[in-house]
Every structure is written in structure tokens, then in C-alpha cells.
Amino acid sequence: MSGLEIQDVSMRFDLPNGGHVQALQNVSLSIKQGEIMSVLGPSGCGKTTLLNIVAGFLAPTEGEVVLNGHRVEGPDAERGMVFQQGALFEWMSVRDNVSFGPRMAGKRAAEWRENVDHLLDVVGLQDFKEKMVYELSGGMQQRVALARCLANDPDVILMDEPLGALDALTREKMQGLVLKLWKETGKTIILITHSVEEALLLGEHLLVMAPRPGRIHREYHLPFADLGVGKDLREIKKLPDFGERREEILGMIWDMEEEIMGRSEEAA
Amino acid sequence: MTQIFSDLIRELAVLFLSVVSALPAIIGYVAIILLFMLAWRVIRNRLTRAQDYTSLKTVTFGDESAVISDKSASVISVVLVFVIWGAFTGSGWLPGFLHAPGPFVGEAEFVYTVEEGNGARDDAAVTVIVHRTGEVPETPEVPPGDGFAKNDVLIVQAYRTKLLRWDANDEATRNDGAKIVAINGVPLTREADVDTGFGRVALTDKGTLNFEPGKGWQMEDIWLPAPDSVWRRLLSISREGYQNVTLAEHLSYSLFRVIVGFLLGALVGIPLGYAMGLSNWFRGWFDPIVEFMRPVPPLALIPLVIIWAGIGEQGKIILLFLAALWIMAIAARAGVSGVAISKVHAAYSLGASPLQIMRHVIVPNSLPEIFTGARVAMGVCWGTVVAAELVAAEKGVGKMIVAASKFQDTDVVLMGIILIGIIGFGIDMLMRRCERWLVPWKGRI
Ligand SMILES: Nc1ncnc2c1ncn2[C@@H]1O[C@H](COP(=O)(O)OP(=O)(O)OP(=O)(O)O)[C@@H](O)[C@H]1O
Ligand SMILES: [Mg+2]
């Protein structure tokens, strides 16, 4: 059994004031090995919570996550994580950041040097190996984070708004890079985003979540990620199908937001 | 209670009065600052017209980033401190015309007029010799002069006063009912002193004269020695020592205590802070202790430490250890708590073990905070050691300056204070250097 199974996961946070938040309710989902899935949804619908459960940082109150036939109990090198920002180690050079995983596994430099150098080439940072990470721009730092994750050769890569802090142009380039790496490495990727376009471009499998309680609203299987590999993503965005899907999902999220606003107005 | 209140109000009034009396000096100083600013502006504009980013800004007032410490102002300000110091102490480093008027020194004369009981008057001259501290002038022979009042000689040290028993050699004495009615022809009474131009003459209750030579504007050596005499004292003390202890010994004892106390404090405080940052139980256990001990100034512990450990090295090291301990513990705790959870999560996802995360994430991440704490702790330790030595010690800079103050060796006291300042500053610079070298990422995240 390969792939990632999320089985009937619920997450309930008790609040100090005695109340509670149902961050996730009965979420079931299966992701095939080598699939890239993007997750969309209004703020607070439990996307990060879901990702943290898959990463093993949180234990669900109900249900379980199964990867390749075994239950997820905690964080592990088989599930790599790329954060929005600030998760690099400032006290290390770019190369030391990227080689962190292999080094912690006790591998000698000879074993990882070639792979690390190759990954730095792939993300276009060959000239910045010896630099400290605070000397890099935000986009370069995200590429380091990607390379660091890949250097550890995880089965699943989890990304929480990895491109959220980047400017539009850098972001577009990074989207191409993510697609390229996905195809080249064949990793299973889950990527959270707030951008509908990004979700469509990078989501072979697209999940739209709804809030209160956090749950799956719609699932799509889309061709754009496959089409986009190695291509100019702007061309993909011009496809009529792409436009339709975008409008449909935008409308869906818009309605959800309206409903949230309405509900909070009623409450007030 | 009302007693205390009214006493405090009185204190406040006295304080207010002395502030008011200092106002002219303060205003004068501010005027000098502004004067130099304008003068420097004119000079600089003549010299260059820099076109850097800051000088091209049109909005500078209120733009914090446009405010850079002006090096020239710093230099002028420091030089001015020495000039003012030198001017009011008659320093040999300053040309004479910059000196504030000094005390009267030398020979002068005033004339007193004696009136006998029967109304007969006679004049006699007093030769006054005012000499500097430490000099012993010869007593000149003066002719007694004619009449029943005879001439006198009065030898006074500058800044001191002296009584003149004018009738010791006169034919009419106070016992005969003779008394002095005028100095230099100006009437003299108990209430009205006479200014002779080089000093004041006052009549005492017993009818003798009290002479006070003119002080001028300069400070007396035991109030404020000149910068050059402090410097000379530094040279002589660094060669010969003070009270049988060399300067190097005094300094090394103080530094030794600070370094050992600080290191012990860090050695215990950092692990304690880590434990508090990493474990609920330890945090709960030590929070009340640390939060209580932190606001207790180390100086307040001196009496207790003396009672417990005496005045030897141990007591002082315990004191400095306590001074550094809480600061370092709090800094380490803050460093651990300050680690972004995403970094720890990332490290776990990369397969690191808790120990590896400690070593490669938590410790380096806490270093900037620890360095900030270390700088504060070093400063506090340095201040505390001097204070502790003031109270009880055999050697150390603090000891040196209290001993000197007992003998009124003000130059040694000043030299000690300046050395304490320089060393404290040096320690801080050294810590900053280490910081830039060891945690270059500080403040750049
Ligand atoms: N540790 C926690 N304690 C209590 N409530 C929490 C906790 N973490 C998350 N929540 C709640 O769970 C819900 C889902 O949060 P989550 O961070 O997963 O949302 P999200 O979809 O990632 O939002 P965003 O798009 O803003 O990142 C929110 O209502 C949030 O308030
Ligand atoms: Mg006489």
C-alpha cells in the first residue's frame, strides 16, 4: 500500500474559556504516491492544522493518517516540510542548511556533497553556497528551504504557503521550479496556498476546504499541473478551461467568505 | 507620617533651590553647545558639501534614521570637558589665559585702625603672605612702625583662613579696651566684613581679625585636582602603587572577581535558563525564585554576603555570581522561548533528534539573547564589584578609592573613577566585538 491516507480525521481544540474550536471534522482523503495536491480555503478553515497533522506535529483527536501502510505518529524524515518563511537556520551557511538532514542522519560529507551541490544547482544557488542565509533575498531563501527539504529525500513534501511572501514575478518562477522538481523527483507534494491560480497550476489534485467546522468542500482532479511542466505557466493560464475553473472556485470561496462575514455580523 | 511628609517637602525645596542656583551654569553650557554647533556648521559647509543620501534628505527633523551621532560633536564635547576641568583647576595643560581666576597667592598688605578706650586712634600695616598648599614661606622681618599699633605679618595658606591676634605686639590691647574700627579706612564691624581686594577681613566675637584670602573661581585640589595632576598621579601610582599595593594588583583583583563571578553565574545561569525554557516543571519551579531575585539589586545583598562569607574573596565572588546568575538565566530562558517553532518543526522533519535540535537549533538560536544578557551582566558585575570593594575589601579599585577618600587624595579618587569608567567601557566593547564575531546573524533575521 503506497500513498497517503487521511482517514476520518477530526481535530478539536479546547479553549481556555471552556469553549472549543472544531478545526477539522471527519476529513477523509487519499493522495496517490507522486501526486501533487494543492489545498485552498478561506482563512481559518483548518488547512495548516491538516498539514501539521500529516507532518506529525499535531495528533488528531479522532482518525489517523497512514503513509505507505504505517500510521503517522510524529515528525519524521519521510515527511519534509517547507514553511512560509523564517524556518532556515540563520547561523548556518546555505550549504550547511541544505545538508542539515543528511548531516543529522550521521552521513559523511562525501556521501552528501554531490547531491547537495546538485540540488543547489537545480534551484540556481550554485554561487551562494558559502553565503549566510541572512545575506539572501526572500525568494532565494525559499529556494534554499526547498533544496534543504529535497536533500533529505523525503517521501512526502508538505508546504504551507511556501510562496506566500514572495513578489509576483519571483512567485511565478518558483511555481515553475516546484513543478519541475515535482516531475523530476516524483515526490508526493501537498501545498497550501491562498492563490486560486497557484492552486490550479500546481494542483493535480485540488482540495477546497470550508470552515466551521473545517471540512472538505470539493475535490478536483485537474490536468494543468501536468500540462505546465517545463512550459510557460502564463500560457496555461490563458487556457479557456483554466479560466472557467478559476471563476468557479473563486465564486465558491467568495460565497464561503460572505457566509462567514454574515455569520459574524449576526453574532455582533 | 505628616512629619516625614513635611521633611521630604523641605528636602525637595532645598533640592529645587540648588537646581535653580545651577541654572546659569546649565544655560551657559547649552549656549556653548549651540555656539559650537553653529560654528562647526559654518566650517563644514566651507570645507565640503557631501552629497550622500542623508545630506540630500530634506526632511531630517523627525526622521530617526537621519540622526547619526556626529563625531565632531563627540570630540568637541570631550575636549571641552577637559578644558572646563582644566580651566577651573588651573591646569598646566591649558594656556594661562584660559584659566578661571585663581586664588590669591603672594604678598599684600592691609592697614588696620585701632581705637583706644579714650578715642585715640592709630594705624598699623599687616603684611599678608598667601602661599600654596605644601609651601612654607619664610617669615619676613617688618619694622614695627610708630604709634601704639605695631605692624604684623600674617602667613596664610590659599583657601584657608587665619586669625590675627593683632594686639599681640601692640601697646594697646583688647584687655585695655582697644578695638579695631576700620580696615584700609573702611569701617569694620561684626556685621560688615571688609574686602581688601585680595581677601576678606572679618571681626571675630573676641575682637581678633579673621583673614580669608580671595579664592577666585578655581577649585581647590582636594575638591577637584587638575587633570594633569590626576595623570601624574596615575603614572606615579602605576609605578609605585598606592598604599603598598600596585595599581595592577588593585585592577587585577577587581577584574578577577568580575570574571570569575560572571563565569560562575553564566555557568549556572545558562543551563538554568535552558531548563526553564524547555520544561514546564523547571519553569514553574524557578519562576518565583528568579522573578523575586531579579528585582533585588545585588548591592542590597552585600550586607548579607558579608555576614555569611566575610570580606574575603569568596564573599565578593558569591555576590557577583548572584548578580550575574539571574540575568543570565533570564536571558537564556528568553533565548530558548524565542526560537521560532517553525525552525524546530523543520529540524524534526529533517530527522533531527531532540539532542541534535538542542545542539544545532536551540543553542545557536539563543546565543544572541545570551550575549545581550552577558553584556548586561558584565556591566552589572563591574558596578557591583566596585561597590562591594567600597564596603569591604583589602584590594581592588573600589578599595583604592575609598582609602584615598579617607586621606583626601582626591586625585587618586578621580583617577580610580576614570579607570573604572574606562575599564567598564572596554569590557562592553570587548563583548560587542565577541558578539559580532560569534553571532553575526544577530538582528538580521
Ligand atoms: N493551537 C490552537 N489552539 C486553538 N485553536 C487553534 C489552534 N490552532 C488553530 N486553531 C483554530 O483552528 C482553526 C483552523 O486553524 P488553521 O491555522 O488550521 O487555519 P488555516 O486554514 O491554516 O488558516 P490560514 O489560511 O489563515 O492559515 C482556526 O479557527 C484556529 O483559530
Ligand atoms: Mg599690632
Side-chain angles (χ1 to χ4, degrees):
Chain A
M1 240 192 73
S2 67
L4 185 68
E5 297 284 333
I6 296 169
Q7 294 166 356
D8 209 22
V9 162
S10 294
M11 189 76 196
R12 189 180 138 131
F13 291 110
D14 289 330
L15 298 178
N17 63 13
H20 65 263
V21 180
Q22 194 72 37
L24 291 174
Q25 185 152 23
N26 304 106
V27 174
S28 291
L29 177 72
S30 67
I31 300 150
K32 286 203 291 289
Q33 174 147 25
E35 190 172 63
I36 183 165
M37 180 178 86
S38 51
V39 184
L40 267 177
S43 189
C45 68
K47 302 183 295 292
T48 299
T49 306
L50 182 64
L51 207 71
N52 280 337
I53 289 171
V54 174
F57 303 141
L58 286 174
T61 40
E62 279 163 53
E64 58 180 14
V65 177
V66 176
L67 175 63
N68 298 335
H70 65 93
R71 211 183 127 148
V72 165
E73 306 275 6
D76 190 284
E78 68 187 3
R79 280 160 282 124
M81 187 94 178
V82 178
F83 294 87
Q84 181 168 7
Q85 66 187 138
L88 292 178
F89 307 130
E90 281 83 12
W91 43 92
M92 295 178 192
S93 66
V94 167
R95 183 200 298 238
D96 286 348
N97 263 284
V98 174
S99 61
F100 186 82
R103 286 192 292 126
M104 293 306 108
K107 292 194 181 141
R108 276 176 293 109
E111 295 174 72
W112 51 257
R113 168 151 297 137
E114 204 180 325
N115 185 34
V116 164
D117 283 357
H118 167 71
L119 283 168
L120 284 169
D121 272 354
V122 172
V123 298
L125 288 173
Q126 52 277 74
D127 297 334
F128 296 88
K129 282 175 208 167
E130 309 303 336
K131 285 265 187 309
M132 300 301 281
V133 289
Y134 54 79
E135 296 172 294
L136 305 184
S137 71
M140 289 159 128
Q141 292 188 2
Q142 280 316 82
R143 283 184 269 160
V144 176
L146 255 178
R148 180 175 72 175
C149 186
L150 288 168
N152 207 37
D153 197 27
D155 296 332
V156 181
I157 299 180
L158 308 169
M159 306 193 196
D160 193 353
E161 297 180 48
L163 313 181
L166 304 181
D167 65 278
L169 215 74
T170 315
R171 190 166 183 163
E172 218 163 89
K173 282 193 204 146
M174 290 288 288
Q175 288 165 353
L177 180 66
V178 169
L179 275 186
K180 182 176 140 196
L181 289 172
W182 167 60
K183 209 65 217 180
E184 276 179 11
T185 59
K187 304 266 178 228
T188 311
I189 298 180
I190 302 179
L191 179 143
I192 294 179
T193 175
H194 270 130
S195 152
V196 175
E197 283 201 344
E198 187 168 281
L200 289 169
L201 284 172
L202 302 185
E204 200 185 10
H205 184 170
L206 194 161
L207 201 66
V208 181
M209 292 180 65
R212 307 188 191 204
R215 60 196 186 273
I216 296 176
H217 186 71
R218 279 288 296 268
E219 268 185 87
Y220 293 89
H221 289 272
L222 302 166
F224 307 115
D226 256 327
L227 291 176
V229 176
K231 299 249 181 56
D232 185 352
L233 295 180
R234 259 165 293 176
E235 295 302 320
I236 306 288
K237 288 188 210 167
K238 284 185 197 144
L239 296 174
D241 272 10
F242 190 92
E244 262 170 46
R245 288 287 185 217
R246 187 180 54 201
E247 292 314 311
E248 179 187 339
I249 294 172
L250 268 175
M252 197 182 292
I253 293 181
W254 188 245
D255 287 347
M256 276 188 244
E257 297 274 12
E258 291 248 283
E259 199 184 325
I260 298 172
M261 301 296 273
R263 240 188 280 173
S264 47
E265 265 162 32
E266 272 166 38
Chain B
M1 202 57 222
T2 46
Q3 179 61 34
I4 296 175
F5 193 67
S6 64
D7 283 355
L8 290 179
I9 293 287
R10 200 165 317 120
E11 294 291 338
L12 200 64
V14 171
L15 195 70
F16 181 72
L17 281 182
S18 51
V19 170
V20 167
S21 65
L23 267 182
I26 296 171
I27 293 172
Y29 187 62
V30 173
I32 290 178
I33 296 175
L34 296 176
L35 203 77
F36 271 105
M37 182 169 94
L38 293 178
W40 178 244
R41 237 181 228 178
V42 171
I43 294 172
R44 196 188 43 195
N45 286 359
R46 290 273 158 75
L47 288 179
T48 50
R49 200 75 190 88
Q51 299 266 307
D52 61 26
Y53 181 56
T54 307
S55 74
L56 292 173
K57 280 184 179 173
T58 55
V59 175
T60 50
F61 187 80
D63 177 358
E64 188 267 334
S65 66
V67 178
I68 308 157
S69 170
D70 191 325
K71 292 283 181 301
S72 343
S74 309
V75 170
I76 296 175
S77 122
V78 171
V79 170
L80 192 67
V81 166
F82 278 88
V83 169
I84 292 176
W85 180 8
F88 285 93
T89 50
S91 162
W93 284 351
L94 279 190
F97 69 89
L98 281 176
H99 287 175
F104 173 79
V105 175
E107 204 176 307
E109 194 181 82
F110 66 83
V111 174
Y112 65 87
T113 307
V114 186
E115 188 178 276
E116 278 188 298
N118 60 16
R121 290 188 175 200
D122 187 21
D123 290 350
V126 180
T127 303
V128 178
I129 296 177
V130 182
H131 63 90
R132 294 184 191 282
T133 317
E135 290 171 2
V136 186
E138 271 179 45
T139 313
E141 287 288 335
V142 291
D146 43 43
F148 57 81
K150 304 290 184 228
N151 297 342
D152 297 275
V153 175
L154 183 68
I155 295 178
V156 199
Q157 184 182 322
Y159 297 110
R160 298 285 174 274
T161 61
K162 192 130 179 197
L163 281 181
L164 175 65
R165 287 188 32 239
W166 49 274
D167 54 354
N169 58 353
D170 290 11
E171 283 159 13
T173 65
R174 282 171 290 160
N175 295 341
D176 309 332
K179 60 181 198 282
I180 292 201
V181 292
I183 299 292
N184 289 348
V186 182
L188 176 74
T189 62
R190 274 297 291 126
E191 289 75 37
D193 303 348
V194 173
D195 191 342
T196 61
F198 56 89
R200 297 186 77 78
V201 182
L203 195 61
T204 67
D205 285 337
K206 290 187 176 151
T208 53
L209 293 180
N210 191 22
F211 177 72
E212 181 186 11
K215 285 182 174 147
W217 285 84
Q218 293 185 7
M219 304 284 279
E220 199 183 345
D221 260 7
I222 68 167
W223 292 114
L224 181 69
D228 44 334
S229 65
V230 173
W231 174 249
R232 275 195 301 275
R233 195 63 186 230
L234 172 65
L235 294 184
S236 79
I237 285 189
S238 55
R239 245 181 288 116
E240 292 139 29
Y242 185 70
Q243 295 182 342
N244 301 326
V245 183
T246 62
L247 185 64
E249 211 170 343
H250 279 306
L251 290 178
S252 359
Y253 265 84
S254 299
L255 275 174
F256 167 78
R257 290 167 187 150
V258 167
I259 292 170
V260 173
F262 167 79
L263 286 182
L264 287 176
L267 214 67
V268 177
I270 294 174
L272 175 61
Y274 279 150
M276 288 174 72
L278 293 169
S279 145
N280 293 339
W281 187 252
F282 273 82
R283 166 81 60 106
W285 190 281
F286 284 106
D287 251 350
I289 299 175
V290 170
E291 294 301 330
F292 173 76
M293 287 308 290
R294 177 169 64 164
V296 176
L299 298 187
L301 300 175
I302 293 180
L304 190 63
V305 169
I306 290 179
I307 293 172
W308 284 354
I311 65 161
E313 282 319 294
Q314 253 181 20
K316 272 177 282 295
I317 286 173
I318 290 175
L319 187 70
L320 296 178
F321 163 75
L322 289 174
L325 177 67
W326 313 118
I327 299 176
M328 294 311 291
I330 289 167
R333 185 185 70 185
V336 175
S337 317
V339 62
I341 185 63
S342 59
K343 287 192 180 43
V344 175
H345 278 174
Y348 271 115
S349 300
L350 290 165
S353 68
L355 255 178
Q356 286 174 324
I357 285 174
M358 184 74 197
R359 156 84 183 74
H360 295 283
V361 182
I362 291 172
V363 169
N365 188 79
S366 65
L367 282 182
E369 287 280 355
I370 287 181
F371 258 95
T372 308
R375 265 176 63 195
V376 174
M378 269 307 232
V380 170
C381 279
W382 184 240
T384 306
V385 79
V386 172
E389 288 165 357
L390 290 179
V391 178
E394 266 140 29
K395 286 164 189 168
V397 242
K399 167 65 188 176
M400 185 177 80
I401 64 180
V402 255
S405 85
K406 282 188 188 128
F407 291 91
Q408 300 203 327
D409 283 335
T410 317
D411 44 1
V412 179
V413 174
L414 261 180
M415 183 199 83
I417 292 172
I418 294 173
L419 278 180
I420 289 167
I422 291 176
I423 293 175
F425 180 72
I427 291 175
D428 199 52
M429 291 314 275
L430 206 74
M431 299 291 283
R432 275 195 225 184
R433 198 49 75 71
C434 289
E435 188 173 41
R436 224 169 305 147
W437 178 55
L438 285 171
V439 283
W441 65 89
K442 182 174 180 188
R444 307 180 68 168
I445 300 174

